[in-house]
Amino acid sequence: MLVVVKTGTITFYMGDDPTCSPHVHPAGTTFFENGGMVGIARNEGTVEATTVVTFFVPAGSPTRIDADAPGNCAF
């Protein structure tokens, strides 16, 4: 999926990163989230964060697949 951050800041954490390093995406930036990856996007800022997200999936496929927390982050 393609994520466009319209306002605020989104901080993304990758489920396969043992150090739980933040990837910070401020307003006006974009990022991709690959299918099948486990991650969490958080608004850790002081203002509302809004995004526009485009999903690239086969017709009829789910746009979200829930997974157990990977346990690499304290939250």
Side-chain angles (χ1 to χ4, degrees):
M1 86 176 123
L2 170 64
V3 180
V4 178
V5 183
K6 299 294 284 181
T7 64
T9 301
I10 296 294
T11 303
F12 192 82
Y13 297 88
M14 311 269 288
D16 62 355
D17 177 4
T19 64
C20 191
S21 300
H23 299 267
V24 179
H25 305 279
T29 64
T30 63
F31 65 96
F32 288 95
E33 183 180 344
N34 294 326
M37 70 182 290
V38 176
I40 186 167
R42 295 168 44 108
N43 177 2
E44 297 178 341
T46 58
V47 299
E48 182 179 27
T50 58
T51 60
V52 175
V53 180
T54 303
F55 292 89
F56 300 94
V57 296
S61 295
T63 56
R64 173 182 168 151
I65 300 172
D66 290 329
D68 292 334
N72 63 322
C73 296
F75 46 82

